[in-house]
């Protein structure tokens, strides 16, 4: 079922030229194609997880080894696809022990920068002509680079690979795996044509996956996915220091959302702040500027018809507030004219269950 779900997603996206496309987008650093000294040594060379002595391949075992190798190392991944020569996807992810950077170029461009402790995430997106920059805490973070993982999973799991010798890639000896047709079962059977080559090291890390596939009546899609390890430095976007940053927690016996501002520009007095909890959204204002080091407390007081939202600088009396501990609660601070940026900035600070997971009744179903 997992494989089928992944295939369904990518097969739908495979023909969406322009969805994230930009013919002028560049893939960044050339992954390097220094394959040389090819050897037709199917029975010799490095031993690769998922590849049997007779050259047959267990694609599921290979994928497991690939992702285990990535998770154990600092890494850089790059994902480029084209349909009829037009760039569809162009994404790069850097990750090490301290930070993660995911950059997606195209019509719907985005840059995600996140410390690996996941206390906060900074993200910059462009949708059409509009730009958005925002930060949020761990509970609101989506795993960056998932599109690269989806691409690897779909293309590898769909093929019937065989070992075809070894070669040298970026100075390392790797095993070459090739497939000239897709599996006939499941959604992989929708591929009208399939021609894919993998270069894999002895850890099972797929150093490079290249090929061209055609799904149904869609135009041919070519792809180039690379992965390297031992990344020492993750580039930091220049706009990160200009964003409001902070951390959120529930206090006062779970009756208040506390937001401690840890960095960024001053938020002017009377700036609108949205506070949402218990399926309601309210607008509140701070009577004075909000500086790094300040802590804000958002809470709900009972009302005759609906609660009243309150912003204070000290924790409220829990006996006078509603319990919000079982709900997702969020404060959104908006800067209409952030210094050094050309678009409004929204900073999200959340607590409670992840907004991407079920909560409340039926959460265990």
């Amino acid at each position: 079922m997992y494989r089928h779900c992944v295939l369904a997603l990518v097969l739908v996206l495979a023909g969406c030229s322009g969805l994230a496309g930009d013919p002028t987008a560049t893939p960044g650093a050339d992954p390097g194609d220094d394959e040389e000294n090819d050897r037709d040594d199917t029975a010799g060379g490095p031993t690769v997880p998922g590849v049997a002595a007779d050259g047959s391949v267990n694609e599921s075992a290979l994928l497991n080894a690939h992702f285990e190798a990535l998770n154990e190392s600092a890494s850089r991944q790059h994902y480029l696809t084209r349909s009829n020569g037009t760039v569809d996807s162009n994404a790069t992810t850097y990750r090490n022990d301290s930070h993660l950077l995911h950059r997606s170029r195209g019509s719907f461009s985005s840059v995600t920068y996140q410390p690996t402790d996941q206390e906060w995430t900074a993200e910059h997106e462009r949708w059409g002509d509009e730009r958005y920059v925002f930060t949020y805490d761990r509970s609101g973070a989506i795993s960056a680079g998932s599109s690269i993982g989806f691409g690897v999973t779909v293309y590898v799991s769909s093929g019937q690979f065989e070992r075809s010798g070894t070669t040298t890639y970026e100075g390392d000896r790797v095993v070459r795996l090739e497939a000239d047709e897709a599996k006939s079962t499941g959604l992989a059977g929708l591929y009208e044509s399939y021609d894919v080559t993998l270069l894999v090291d002895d850890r099972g890390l797929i150093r490079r996956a290249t090929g061209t596939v055609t799904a149904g009546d869609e135009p041919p899609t070519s792809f180039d996915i690379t992965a390297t390890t031992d990344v020492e430095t993750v580039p930091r976007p220049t706009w990160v220091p200009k964003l409001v940053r902070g951390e959120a927690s529930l206090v006062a016996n779970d009756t208040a959302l506390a937001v401690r501002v840890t960095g960024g520009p001053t938020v002017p007095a009377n700036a609108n702040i949205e506070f949402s909890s218990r399926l309601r959204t309210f607008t509140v204002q701070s009577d004075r500027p909000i500086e790094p080091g300040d802590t804000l407390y958002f809470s709900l007081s009972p009302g005759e018809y609906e609660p009243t939202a309150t912003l204070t600088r000290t924790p409220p009396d829990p006996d006078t507030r509603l319990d919000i501990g079982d709900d997702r609660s969020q404060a959104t601070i908006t800067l209409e004219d952030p210094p050094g940026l050309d678009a409004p900035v929204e900073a999200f600070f959340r607590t409670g269950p992840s907004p991407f997971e079920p909560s409340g009744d039926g959460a265990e179903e």
Side-chain angles (χ1 to χ4, degrees), residues 25-360:
T26 57
D30 189 334
D33 187 2
D34 62 350
E35 299 170 41
E36 57 185 19
N37 302 321
D38 285 12
R39 300 175 185 172
D40 185 13
D41 56 355
T42 302
T47 300
V48 173
V51 180
D54 63 359
S56 61
V57 178
N58 180 327
E59 289 81 15
S60 295
L62 176 61
L63 282 169
N64 286 337
H66 171 75
F67 289 115
E68 286 178 2
L70 282 179
N71 290 337
E72 293 173 355
S73 307
S75 62
R76 175 188 185 272
Q77 298 178 78
H78 181 244
Y79 180 35
L80 178 69
T81 65
R82 289 187 175 93
S83 293
N84 290 340
T86 300
V87 173
D88 292 324
S89 304
N90 189 359
T92 305
T93 295
Y94 293 86
R95 182 180 63 83
N96 64 10
D97 289 340
S98 60
H99 292 86
L100 176 147
L101 172 69
H102 177 70
R103 185 187 305 276
S104 177
R105 306 168 182 86
S107 298
F108 300 148
S109 299
S110 67
V111 180
T112 302
Y113 181 79
Q114 176 178 312
T116 52
D117 59 15
Q118 296 186 338
E119 288 183 357
W120 62 274
T121 296
E123 186 161 341
H124 177 198
E125 290 191 357
R126 178 187 292 276
W127 293 77
D129 294 330
E130 300 298 326
R131 296 181 64 185
Y132 305 89
V133 186
F134 51 89
T135 69
Y136 45 82
D137 70 332
R138 181 181 186 278
S139 63
I142 303 177
S143 176
S146 59
S147 61
I148 302 177
F150 278 139
V152 171
T153 300
V154 169
Y155 293 130
V156 174
S157 64
S158 297
Q160 302 184 92
F161 287 89
E162 293 185 354
R163 178 170 173 156
S164 62
T166 63
T167 188
T168 299
Y169 177 70
E170 295 188 335
D172 298 324
R173 205 69 191 167
V174 294
V175 171
R176 181 194 298 272
L177 306 178
E178 295 183 345
D180 58 10
E181 63 179 350
K183 293 181 172 66
S184 59
T185 58
L187 293 177
L190 295 178
Y191 281 122
E192 298 296 327
S193 64
Y194 183 94
D195 186 7
V196 177
T197 298
L198 309 178
L199 302 181
V200 188
D201 66 19
D202 57 1
R203 297 170 294 175
L205 181 68
I206 300 172
R207 299 287 299 276
R208 190 173 192 182
T210 57
T212 301
V213 300
T214 304
D217 297 330
E218 301 293 342
T221 296
S222 61
F223 62 89
D224 192 336
I225 306 173
T226 60
T228 59
T229 55
D230 301 326
V231 170
E232 295 182 0
T233 303
V234 174
R236 175 173 174 163
T238 57
W239 43 262
V240 168
K242 303 172 184 177
L243 306 181
V244 177
R245 302 184 299 280
E247 55 191 21
S249 61
L250 287 178
V251 298
N253 294 337
D254 291 346
T255 64
L257 170 67
V259 174
R260 186 173 70 87
V261 179
T262 59
T266 298
V267 179
N270 301 318
N272 288 334
I273 302 175
E274 286 192 346
F275 171 55
S276 60
S277 187
R278 298 173 66 94
L279 302 179
R280 293 180 175 87
T281 299
F282 309 86
T283 299
V284 295
Q285 294 181 333
S286 173
D287 59 357
R288 63 180 186 270
I290 301 171
E291 306 277 1
D294 289 347
T295 300
L296 313 175
Y297 299 89
F298 301 87
S299 59
L300 295 176
S301 301
E304 183 177 358
Y305 299 104
E306 66 175 20
T308 300
T310 303
L311 166 60
T312 60
R313 295 298 182 113
T314 57
D317 179 358
D319 293 335
T320 64
R321 300 296 194 267
L322 297 176
D323 190 313
I324 58 175
D326 293 330
D327 296 279
R328 297 171 186 153
S329 299
Q330 173 179 301
T332 304
I333 301 175
T334 301
L335 289 177
E336 298 295 339
D337 188 20
L341 293 172
D342 60 0
V345 174
E346 289 186 332
F348 302 90
F349 304 96
R350 299 187 178 106
T351 61
S354 166
F356 308 105
E357 298 292 338
S359 64

